[in-house]
Amino acid sequence: MDQNFLKFKKRIWTQIIVKCVLAGLAAGLFATVAVMLPCHLCKIGLFWYVYLGIAVLGFVLGGGVAFLILKTDDRKIAKILDADLCLEERMQTAFVFAGQENAMLDLQRANANFALGKVPLKALPFKNIVATVLCAAVAGTSTVVIPVIAVCLPVVPIGTELPDGDDKEDPPRIVTDWEWGALDELINYVRSSKKADARTRTAMVSELEGLKNVLLDGVSQSSLPMFVENTVTNIRNEVKDANDAVDSEEQKKANTEEQNYVINKLYEIFSLQQPGSSEEPDPDEPDNPDEPDKPDEPEGPTGPGDLIVDKTPFFDPDTGETSFGEVMDDYYRKALQAFNEGKISREEWEAIMVKYFNSFNGNDNN
C-alpha cells in the first residue's frame, strides 16, 4: 500500500501546488492592475519597484489563502481516494488500523493495496477546475494589460517631476531648408579647404556631421543651443590637439583662423548669439582725446561682411506685411520664429529673405 499510496499522494499535492501558484499569480497581477490603472489615469507616477512589491505581496497573500483552503493530510487523502476512485472505504480502514498487526488487518491492507494498484493515476480527477481556469485567465489577462497600460498611459514617476515653469511641453525645433543648405555648404567648405591641415579638417567635418545627425533625429527649441555649443566646444578641443602636434606657427594660425570661421558660421546659421559677443564697453576706459567727437549714428556694424540693420525688412505679425523701417536687432529671429510657428507661409518667408539679403548690398536704395 505504501508505494501506491505515496504515488497518489504526490499527485494530489502537485495539483494543490499548481492551484496555489495560479491563485497567487492571479491575485498579485490583478492587484497590480487595480493600482496601476487608476494611477496612470490620474497621472500619478510610481516607481517600478512599487508595482513589483504589490505583485509579490498579492502573490504571497493569494497563494497563502489558497494553500490554507486546499492543504491536506494523509487521513484526508485516504478519504479522497475512497471517494474519487470508488474504493469503498478500503483506504480509510487501512489508514485507521495502520499501527495494528493481525491476520485480518493484513488481508484488508493487502486488498486495499491491490485495489489501489489497479487504478491508473489519470483516473484521479482534477478538482476545482473552474476556479483554477478562472485564476489562469485572470493572471494571463493581467499579464497583457500591465504593459498596455505602461505604454498607452505613460506618466512621470514621483520624484522626477519637471521643475517649476518647465512643466509645459518643449516644442520641437524645425530646421529650415536654408539652415540645412547652409550647414551642408559649411561641411563641404571645410572638407575642401586647403587652409587648415588634414587633421583639423577631418575633426571639424566629423563634429559638423555629428551635429547634423542630431538635428536629423530632432531636437527641441531649448536644446538646440546646447547641441551647437557642444559642437563648438568639441571643435575648439580638436583644433587645440591638432595645434599641439604641429610645429609650424603659421599652420597653427591657419588652423585657428579656420576654427573661428567655422564657429562664427555655426552661430550665424542657427541665429544664435556667441557667448561674450554682447559685452558692454568698459565705462572706466577713457575716451581717446585725439579722436574728434562724432555725431550720433544709427547702431550697426561697419565691416564689409557685417549686417546693416538700417532700413532692413522684417515681418510684422500684427499687419501680416513685409515692410521697411527701423528694426530691432532681432528682426531675423522674429521672422524665423513666425515661419516656424506657421504665422507666415514659405513663400512669404522666401520673399522676406530675398529683400533681407538684397538690403545688405543695396540698403540705401530700398
Side-chain angles (χ1 to χ4, degrees), residues 233-250:
T233 301
N234 292 341
I235 288 176
R236 286 197 173 107
N237 291 335
E238 293 289 350
V239 174
K240 181 180 180 301
D241 292 340
N243 284 343
D244 290 341
V246 174
D247 296 331
S248 172
E249 293 297 329
E250 182 178 353

Side-chain angles (χ1 to χ4, degrees), residues 173-182 268-271 313-316 320-323 330-358 360:
R173 171 57 158 83
I174 300 176
V175 181
T176 65
D177 293 340
W178 182 87
E179 289 171 332
W180 284 125
E268 178 184 335
I269 289 172
F270 297 104
S271 303
F314 72 104
F315 176 77
D316 187 347
E321 298 177 352
T322 302
S323 61
D330 61 345
Y331 58 88
Y332 176 79
R333 291 171 182 262
K334 288 185 176 181
L336 179 60
Q337 182 180 2
F339 172 70
N340 290 335
E341 294 176 353
K343 295 180 179 179
I344 59 176
S345 65
R346 178 174 295 279
E347 291 75 12
E348 292 172 319
W349 161 260
E350 291 176 351
I352 293 172
M353 289 298 99
V354 168
K355 293 181 180 179
Y356 171 67
F357 285 109
N358 287 341
F360 294 165

Side-chain angles (χ1 to χ4, degrees), residues 8 11 85 119-126:
F8 280 92
R11 176 86 169 195
L85 301 179
V119 180
L121 273 176
K122 62 182 180 180
L124 185 67
F126 190 98

Side-chain angles (χ1 to χ4, degrees), residues 65-78:
V65 171
F67 181 79
L68 292 176
I69 295 174
L70 299 175
K71 71 176 182 176
T72 186
D73 54 24
D74 289 351
R75 180 185 296 276
K76 293 180 181 179
I77 292 175

Side-chain angles (χ1 to χ4, degrees), residues 127-350:
K127 294 185 177 181
N128 311 110
I129 188 169
V130 175
T132 304
V133 171
L134 181 60
C135 289
V138 171
T141 303
S142 300
T143 303
V144 175
V145 169
I146 288 174
V148 171
I149 295 175
V151 172
C152 298
L153 301 173
V155 295
V156 178
I158 292 176
T160 61
E161 292 87 352
L162 294 175
D164 293 340
D166 292 338
D167 54 347
K168 296 182 179 179
E169 184 180 357
D170 194 2
R173 171 57 158 83
I174 300 176
V175 181
T176 65
D177 293 340
W178 182 87
E179 289 171 332
W180 284 125
L183 183 57
D184 286 335
E185 184 179 350
L186 180 60
I187 292 174
N188 292 332
Y189 165 78
V190 175
R191 185 179 284 117
S192 60
S193 175
K194 303 299 182 181
K195 189 173 184 179
D197 58 24
R199 176 175 175 176
T200 301
R201 293 197 306 272
T202 302
M204 289 195 293
V205 168
S206 176
E207 294 298 332
L208 293 174
E209 290 181 340
L211 176 62
K212 182 178 179 181
N213 292 333
V214 170
L215 297 178
L216 287 171
D217 292 336
V219 298
S220 63
Q221 290 278 12
S222 61
S223 63
L224 175 64
M226 177 190 68
F227 287 114
V228 174
E229 290 292 345
N230 184 61
T231 302
V232 168
T233 301
N234 292 341
I235 288 176
R236 286 197 173 107
N237 291 335
E238 293 289 350
V239 174
K240 181 180 180 301
D241 292 340
N243 284 343
D244 290 341
V246 174
D247 296 331
S248 172
E249 293 297 329
E250 182 178 353
Q251 186 61 60
K252 290 182 180 180
K253 182 179 179 181
N255 291 344
T256 303
E257 290 177 353
E258 199 78 333
Q259 162 202 288
N260 294 337
Y261 174 79
V262 171
I263 291 175
N264 291 336
K265 290 296 292 184
L266 268 181
Y267 284 116
E268 178 184 335
I269 289 172
F270 297 104
S271 303
L272 300 176
Q273 186 175 16
Q274 296 192 41
S277 61
S278 59
E279 294 180 357
E280 297 293 336
D282 188 357
D284 297 332
E285 183 178 353
D287 295 335
N288 188 349
D290 298 331
E291 184 177 354
D293 294 336
K294 295 182 180 179
D296 293 338
E297 296 179 356
E299 294 183 0
T302 58
D306 294 331
L307 304 182
I308 304 175
V309 299
D310 185 26
K311 294 184 178 181
T312 48
F314 72 104
F315 176 77
D316 187 347
D318 297 329
T319 62
E321 298 177 352
T322 302
S323 61
F324 292 84
E326 183 178 357
V327 185
M328 298 174 61
D329 59 359
D330 61 345
Y331 58 88
Y332 176 79
R333 291 171 182 262
K334 288 185 176 181
L336 179 60
Q337 182 180 2
F339 172 70
N340 290 335
E341 294 176 353
K343 295 180 179 179
I344 59 176
S345 65
R346 178 174 295 279
E347 291 75 12
E348 292 172 319
W349 161 260
E350 291 176 351

